[in-house]
Amino acid sequence: ANDAPTALIAESGAMWFTEVGSGRIGRLTTAGEVSHFSTGSGKLTGDMTNTSDGSIWAPKSTSVVRLKTDGTLTEFPLPGVVKTGAIFGRKDGIFLGAIKANGQGAILAVSNTGQVQEYKLPRKNLLPIEMALDPDGGFFMTVSSIPPGRSVSTIWRLQLKD
């Protein structure tokens, strides 16, 4: 398993990182002290984000974990999801790229309490792998074909509607 760190997030006096291929999130202080936090069973996919409350979020293949500043870890299952992609912090949770067993790609909005809202992509077999919010509340995202060759990898803009 590859346990090289990836997806660094800086905070005052420390950096957080995922250990890809493991179930751990790490924290490295400017003094060189390293702490590891277990994320339970299953491996992290490598990406991570933080939210305005200071929580660190990291996806697994079928779930997402939230590590609060007090060390409390919560894992939220993602019903029907078989692979996760890009993750992006928001005020009260995260946005997460995902693809479901039936090939439906989506952006999932996951709240701090684990409630999931799904925004389906316009075509199947697309997994959001990178994304950025625009000022209008939509997303620009790059998507990959899952499985390869089933759809055309491209850049999309998705406007969210509640």
Side-chain angles (χ1 to χ4, degrees):
N2 177 6
D3 60 359
T6 188
L8 297 173
I9 294 177
E11 68 171 45
S12 180
M15 290 188 309
W16 291 88
F17 56 93
T18 58
E19 296 180 21
V20 177
S22 78
R24 298 190 317 181
I25 293 174
R27 183 176 184 265
L28 172 65
T29 69
T30 54
E33 297 170 1
V34 178
S35 303
H36 299 277
F37 300 86
S38 174
T39 60
S41 64
K43 297 177 181 179
L44 297 169
T45 60
D47 212 356
M48 69 187 308
T49 193
N50 57 345
T51 53
S52 60
D53 67 355
S55 295
I56 302 292
W57 292 72
K60 296 181 179 182
S61 293
T62 61
S63 64
V64 65
V65 295
R66 178 183 183 216
L67 179 63
K68 292 170 58 174
T69 55
D70 67 3
T72 303
L73 182 84
T74 307
E75 184 168 356
F76 300 115
L78 303 170
V81 171
V82 295
K83 187 172 179 71
T84 58
I87 188 168
F88 196 89
R90 62 186 186 129
K91 183 179 176 183
D92 58 350
I94 53 106
F95 290 111
L96 180 65
I99 196 158
K100 300 183 103 175
N102 67 359
Q104 180 63 58
I107 297 288
L108 305 178
V110 183
S111 75
N112 286 336
T113 59
Q115 292 182 316
V116 178
Q117 169 116 25
E118 180 178 318
Y119 301 92
K120 294 179 182 178
L121 296 186
R123 289 198 324 245
K124 284 192 168 188
N125 303 307
L126 297 173
L127 174 65
I129 56 170
E130 297 291 338
M131 64 179 140
L133 282 173
D134 73 18
D136 296 331
F139 283 98
F140 283 102
M141 71 189 94
T142 57
V143 294
S144 274
S145 177
I146 303 293
R150 293 293 295 275
S151 199
V152 177
S153 296
T154 189
I155 297 174
W156 288 78
R157 183 179 188 285
L158 178 67
Q159 183 66 45
L160 300 180
K161 298 178 183 176
D162 289 325

PDB file of all heavy atoms in Angstrom, residues 79-83 98-106 118 120 123-126 146-147 150:
ATOM      1  N   PRO A  79     -24.757   6.398   0.457  1.00  0.00           N
ATOM      2  CA  PRO A  79     -25.567   5.325  -0.121  1.00  0.00           C
ATOM      3  C   PRO A  79     -25.424   5.213  -1.644  1.00  0.00           C
ATOM      4  O   PRO A  79     -25.552   6.197  -2.364  1.00  0.00           O
ATOM      5  CB  PRO A  79     -26.994   5.708   0.268  1.00  0.00           C
ATOM      6  CG  PRO A  79     -26.838   6.576   1.475  1.00  0.00           C
ATOM      7  CD  PRO A  79     -25.548   7.321   1.266  1.00  0.00           C
ATOM      8  N   GLY A  80     -25.129   3.999  -2.111  1.00  0.00           N
ATOM      9  CA  GLY A  80     -25.049   3.707  -3.532  1.00  0.00           C
ATOM     10  C   GLY A  80     -23.748   4.122  -4.199  1.00  0.00           C
ATOM     11  O   GLY A  80     -23.503   3.803  -5.355  1.00  0.00           O
ATOM     12  N   VAL A  81     -22.883   4.848  -3.500  1.00  0.00           N
ATOM     13  CA  VAL A  81     -21.640   5.354  -4.086  1.00  0.00           C
ATOM     14  C   VAL A  81     -20.593   4.244  -4.106  1.00  0.00           C
ATOM     15  O   VAL A  81     -20.415   3.514  -3.136  1.00  0.00           O
ATOM     16  CB  VAL A  81     -21.121   6.584  -3.300  1.00  0.00           C
ATOM     17  CG1 VAL A  81     -19.731   6.991  -3.755  1.00  0.00           C
ATOM     18  CG2 VAL A  81     -22.096   7.743  -3.444  1.00  0.00           C
ATOM     19  N   VAL A  82     -19.864   4.131  -5.248  1.00  0.00           N
ATOM     20  CA  VAL A  82     -18.813   3.136  -5.381  1.00  0.00           C
ATOM     21  C   VAL A  82     -17.424   3.764  -5.533  1.00  0.00           C
ATOM     22  O   VAL A  82     -16.418   3.083  -5.391  1.00  0.00           O
ATOM     23  CB  VAL A  82     -19.077   2.168  -6.557  1.00  0.00           C
ATOM     24  CG1 VAL A  82     -20.318   1.337  -6.301  1.00  0.00           C
ATOM     25  CG2 VAL A  82     -19.170   2.907  -7.872  1.00  0.00           C
ATOM     26  N   LYS A  83     -17.367   5.068  -5.820  1.00  0.00           N
ATOM     27  CA  LYS A  83     -16.085   5.752  -5.976  1.00  0.00           C
ATOM     28  C   LYS A  83     -16.301   7.239  -5.741  1.00  0.00           C
ATOM     29  O   LYS A  83     -17.276   7.809  -6.194  1.00  0.00           O
ATOM     30  CB  LYS A  83     -15.530   5.510  -7.377  1.00  0.00           C
ATOM     31  CG  LYS A  83     -14.132   6.044  -7.597  1.00  0.00           C
ATOM     32  CD  LYS A  83     -13.605   5.579  -8.943  1.00  0.00           C
ATOM     33  CE  LYS A  83     -12.221   6.103  -9.225  1.00  0.00           C
ATOM     34  NZ  LYS A  83     -11.176   5.514  -8.427  1.00  0.00           N
ATOM     35  N   ALA A  98     -18.813  12.083  -6.910  1.00  0.00           N
ATOM     36  CA  ALA A  98     -19.063  10.664  -6.672  1.00  0.00           C
ATOM     37  C   ALA A  98     -19.638  10.013  -7.930  1.00  0.00           C
ATOM     38  O   ALA A  98     -20.195  10.687  -8.790  1.00  0.00           O
ATOM     39  CB  ALA A  98     -20.055  10.492  -5.516  1.00  0.00           C
ATOM     40  N   ILE A  99     -19.490   8.698  -7.974  1.00  0.00           N
ATOM     41  CA  ILE A  99     -20.159   7.920  -9.006  1.00  0.00           C
ATOM     42  C   ILE A  99     -20.825   6.741  -8.310  1.00  0.00           C
ATOM     43  O   ILE A  99     -20.274   6.166  -7.365  1.00  0.00           O
ATOM     44  CB  ILE A  99     -19.193   7.489 -10.136  1.00  0.00           C
ATOM     45  CG1 ILE A  99     -19.983   7.048 -11.355  1.00  0.00           C
ATOM     46  CG2 ILE A  99     -18.208   6.451  -9.670  1.00  0.00           C
ATOM     47  CD1 ILE A  99     -19.207   7.103 -12.648  1.00  0.00           C
ATOM     48  N   LYS A 100     -22.037   6.431  -8.742  1.00  0.00           N
ATOM     49  CA  LYS A 100     -22.831   5.378  -8.113  1.00  0.00           C
ATOM     50  C   LYS A 100     -22.705   4.076  -8.899  1.00  0.00           C
ATOM     51  O   LYS A 100     -22.194   4.061 -10.024  1.00  0.00           O
ATOM     52  CB  LYS A 100     -24.281   5.831  -8.014  1.00  0.00           C
ATOM     53  CG  LYS A 100     -24.412   7.113  -7.174  1.00  0.00           C
ATOM     54  CD  LYS A 100     -25.813   7.527  -6.994  1.00  0.00           C
ATOM     55  CE  LYS A 100     -26.171   7.125  -5.585  1.00  0.00           C
ATOM     56  NZ  LYS A 100     -27.487   7.565  -5.180  1.00  0.00           N
ATOM     57  N   ALA A 101     -23.181   2.996  -8.323  1.00  0.00           N
ATOM     58  CA  ALA A 101     -23.076   1.671  -8.940  1.00  0.00           C
ATOM     59  C   ALA A 101     -23.740   1.615 -10.317  1.00  0.00           C
ATOM     60  O   ALA A 101     -23.298   0.885 -11.196  1.00  0.00           O
ATOM     61  CB  ALA A 101     -23.686   0.616  -8.018  1.00  0.00           C
ATOM     62  N   ASN A 102     -24.773   2.431 -10.532  1.00  0.00           N
ATOM     63  CA  ASN A 102     -25.471   2.429 -11.819  1.00  0.00           C
ATOM     64  C   ASN A 102     -24.799   3.344 -12.851  1.00  0.00           C
ATOM     65  O   ASN A 102     -25.330   3.555 -13.931  1.00  0.00           O
ATOM     66  CB  ASN A 102     -26.934   2.826 -11.634  1.00  0.00           C
ATOM     67  CG  ASN A 102     -27.109   4.274 -11.200  1.00  0.00           C
ATOM     68  OD1 ASN A 102     -26.137   5.005 -11.004  1.00  0.00           O
ATOM     69  ND2 ASN A 102     -28.358   4.683 -11.021  1.00  0.00           N
ATOM     70  N   GLY A 103     -23.648   3.919 -12.516  1.00  0.00           N
ATOM     71  CA  GLY A 103     -22.925   4.785 -13.434  1.00  0.00           C
ATOM     72  C   GLY A 103     -23.288   6.252 -13.338  1.00  0.00           C
ATOM     73  O   GLY A 103     -22.692   7.086 -14.018  1.00  0.00           O
ATOM     74  N   GLN A 104     -24.266   6.602 -12.491  1.00  0.00           N
ATOM     75  CA  GLN A 104     -24.666   8.002 -12.355  1.00  0.00           C
ATOM     76  C   GLN A 104     -23.611   8.778 -11.592  1.00  0.00           C
ATOM     77  O   GLN A 104     -23.297   8.460 -10.454  1.00  0.00           O
ATOM     78  CB  GLN A 104     -26.011   8.122 -11.627  1.00  0.00           C
ATOM     79  CG  GLN A 104     -26.494   9.547 -11.439  1.00  0.00           C
ATOM     80  CD  GLN A 104     -26.759  10.253 -12.760  1.00  0.00           C
ATOM     81  OE1 GLN A 104     -27.570   9.789 -13.558  1.00  0.00           O
ATOM     82  NE2 GLN A 104     -26.082  11.345 -13.010  1.00  0.00           N
ATOM     83  N   GLY A 105     -23.043   9.812 -12.239  1.00  0.00           N
ATOM     84  CA  GLY A 105     -22.111  10.703 -11.577  1.00  0.00           C
ATOM     85  C   GLY A 105     -22.883  11.804 -10.872  1.00  0.00           C
ATOM     86  O   GLY A 105     -23.996  12.157 -11.281  1.00  0.00           O
ATOM     87  N   ALA A 106     -22.302  12.348  -9.808  1.00  0.00           N
ATOM     88  CA  ALA A 106     -23.017  13.363  -9.036  1.00  0.00           C
ATOM     89  C   ALA A 106     -22.049  14.208  -8.229  1.00  0.00           C
ATOM     90  O   ALA A 106     -20.915  13.817  -7.974  1.00  0.00           O
ATOM     91  CB  ALA A 106     -24.006  12.690  -8.082  1.00  0.00           C
ATOM     92  N   GLU A 118     -28.057  15.066  -3.299  1.00  0.00           N
ATOM     93  CA  GLU A 118     -27.397  14.652  -4.531  1.00  0.00           C
ATOM     94  C   GLU A 118     -27.792  15.555  -5.691  1.00  0.00           C
ATOM     95  O   GLU A 118     -28.970  15.831  -5.898  1.00  0.00           O
ATOM     96  CB  GLU A 118     -27.791  13.211  -4.854  1.00  0.00           C
ATOM     97  CG  GLU A 118     -27.168  12.663  -6.105  1.00  0.00           C
ATOM     98  CD  GLU A 118     -27.562  11.217  -6.354  1.00  0.00           C
ATOM     99  OE1 GLU A 118     -27.581  10.423  -5.385  1.00  0.00           O
ATOM    100  OE2 GLU A 118     -27.861  10.888  -7.505  1.00  0.00           O
ATOM    101  N   LYS A 120     -27.297  15.315  -9.609  1.00  0.00           N
ATOM    102  CA  LYS A 120     -26.863  14.414 -10.679  1.00  0.00           C
ATOM    103  C   LYS A 120     -26.207  15.177 -11.810  1.00  0.00           C
ATOM    104  O   LYS A 120     -26.628  16.282 -12.161  1.00  0.00           O
ATOM    105  CB  LYS A 120     -28.060  13.639 -11.230  1.00  0.00           C
ATOM    106  CG  LYS A 120     -28.664  12.688 -10.243  1.00  0.00           C
ATOM    107  CD  LYS A 120     -29.861  11.973 -10.829  1.00  0.00           C
ATOM    108  CE  LYS A 120     -30.472  11.063  -9.775  1.00  0.00           C
ATOM    109  NZ  LYS A 120     -31.660  10.383 -10.289  1.00  0.00           N
ATOM    110  N   ARG A 123     -24.876  13.514 -17.641  1.00  0.00           N
ATOM    111  CA  ARG A 123     -24.642  12.240 -18.334  1.00  0.00           C
ATOM    112  C   ARG A 123     -24.100  11.229 -17.348  1.00  0.00           C
ATOM    113  O   ARG A 123     -23.473  11.590 -16.350  1.00  0.00           O
ATOM    114  CB  ARG A 123     -23.607  12.413 -19.460  1.00  0.00           C
ATOM    115  CG  ARG A 123     -24.112  13.180 -20.633  1.00  0.00           C
ATOM    116  CD  ARG A 123     -23.269  12.976 -21.889  1.00  0.00           C
ATOM    117  NE  ARG A 123     -21.842  12.844 -21.684  1.00  0.00           N
ATOM    118  CZ  ARG A 123     -20.933  13.715 -22.120  1.00  0.00           C
ATOM    119  NH1 ARG A 123     -21.303  14.799 -22.762  1.00  0.00           N
ATOM    120  NH2 ARG A 123     -19.664  13.502 -21.916  1.00  0.00           N
ATOM    121  N   LYS A 124     -24.282   9.952 -17.629  1.00  0.00           N
ATOM    122  CA  LYS A 124     -23.744   8.887 -16.785  1.00  0.00           C
ATOM    123  C   LYS A 124     -22.255   8.691 -17.058  1.00  0.00           C
ATOM    124  O   LYS A 124     -21.725   9.181 -18.046  1.00  0.00           O
ATOM    125  CB  LYS A 124     -24.497   7.582 -17.029  1.00  0.00           C
ATOM    126  CG  LYS A 124     -25.866   7.559 -16.376  1.00  0.00           C
ATOM    127  CD  LYS A 124     -26.418   6.162 -16.402  1.00  0.00           C
ATOM    128  CE  LYS A 124     -27.629   6.103 -15.511  1.00  0.00           C
ATOM    129  NZ  LYS A 124     -28.094   4.736 -15.340  1.00  0.00           N
ATOM    130  N   ASN A 125     -21.625   7.920 -16.176  1.00  0.00           N
ATOM    131  CA  ASN A 125     -20.230   7.499 -16.289  1.00  0.00           C
ATOM    132  C   ASN A 125     -19.239   8.643 -16.182  1.00  0.00           C
ATOM    133  O   ASN A 125     -18.145   8.576 -16.740  1.00  0.00           O
ATOM    134  CB  ASN A 125     -20.003   6.691 -17.573  1.00  0.00           C
ATOM    135  CG  ASN A 125     -20.911   5.495 -17.643  1.00  0.00           C
ATOM    136  OD1 ASN A 125     -20.962   4.696 -16.723  1.00  0.00           O
ATOM    137  ND2 ASN A 125     -21.665   5.393 -18.710  1.00  0.00           N
ATOM    138  N   LEU A 126     -19.601   9.699 -15.457  1.00  0.00           N
ATOM    139  CA  LEU A 126     -18.709  10.829 -15.231  1.00  0.00           C
ATOM    140  C   LEU A 126     -18.441  10.991 -13.739  1.00  0.00           C
ATOM    141  O   LEU A 126     -19.375  11.053 -12.941  1.00  0.00           O
ATOM    142  CB  LEU A 126     -19.321  12.122 -15.770  1.00  0.00           C
ATOM    143  CG  LEU A 126     -19.563  12.188 -17.265  1.00  0.00           C
ATOM    144  CD1 LEU A 126     -20.330  13.459 -17.617  1.00  0.00           C
ATOM    145  CD2 LEU A 126     -18.254  12.114 -18.026  1.00  0.00           C
ATOM    146  N   ILE A 146     -15.743   6.944 -16.110  1.00  0.00           N
ATOM    147  CA  ILE A 146     -15.665   5.746 -15.271  1.00  0.00           C
ATOM    148  C   ILE A 146     -16.733   4.782 -15.755  1.00  0.00           C
ATOM    149  O   ILE A 146     -17.912   5.102 -15.694  1.00  0.00           O
ATOM    150  CB  ILE A 146     -15.906   6.068 -13.781  1.00  0.00           C
ATOM    151  CG1 ILE A 146     -14.916   7.119 -13.284  1.00  0.00           C
ATOM    152  CG2 ILE A 146     -15.852   4.812 -12.935  1.00  0.00           C
ATOM    153  CD1 ILE A 146     -13.479   6.683 -13.232  1.00  0.00           C
ATOM    154  N   PRO A 147     -16.388   3.619 -16.281  1.00  0.00           N
ATOM    155  CA  PRO A 147     -15.032   3.176 -16.605  1.00  0.00           C
ATOM    156  C   PRO A 147     -14.488   3.936 -17.806  1.00  0.00           C
ATOM    157  O   PRO A 147     -15.253   4.552 -18.557  1.00  0.00           O
ATOM    158  CB  PRO A 147     -15.205   1.685 -16.911  1.00  0.00           C
ATOM    159  CG  PRO A 147     -16.616   1.548 -17.348  1.00  0.00           C
ATOM    160  CD  PRO A 147     -17.397   2.609 -16.628  1.00  0.00           C
ATOM    161  N   ARG A 150     -16.233   5.172 -21.501  1.00  0.00           N
ATOM    162  CA  ARG A 150     -17.697   5.145 -21.496  1.00  0.00           C
ATOM    163  C   ARG A 150     -18.296   6.512 -21.750  1.00  0.00           C
ATOM    164  O   ARG A 150     -19.430   6.645 -22.165  1.00  0.00           O
ATOM    165  CB  ARG A 150     -18.232   4.610 -20.163  1.00  0.00           C
ATOM    166  CG  ARG A 150     -17.946   3.171 -19.870  1.00  0.00           C
ATOM    167  CD  ARG A 150     -18.650   2.190 -20.790  1.00  0.00           C
ATOM    168  NE  ARG A 150     -20.084   2.161 -20.720  1.00  0.00           N
ATOM    169  CZ  ARG A 150     -20.795   1.458 -19.862  1.00  0.00           C
ATOM    170  NH1 ARG A 150     -20.211   0.736 -18.937  1.00  0.00           N
ATOM    171  NH2 ARG A 150     -22.103   1.483 -19.916  1.00  0.00           N
TER     172      ARG A 150
END
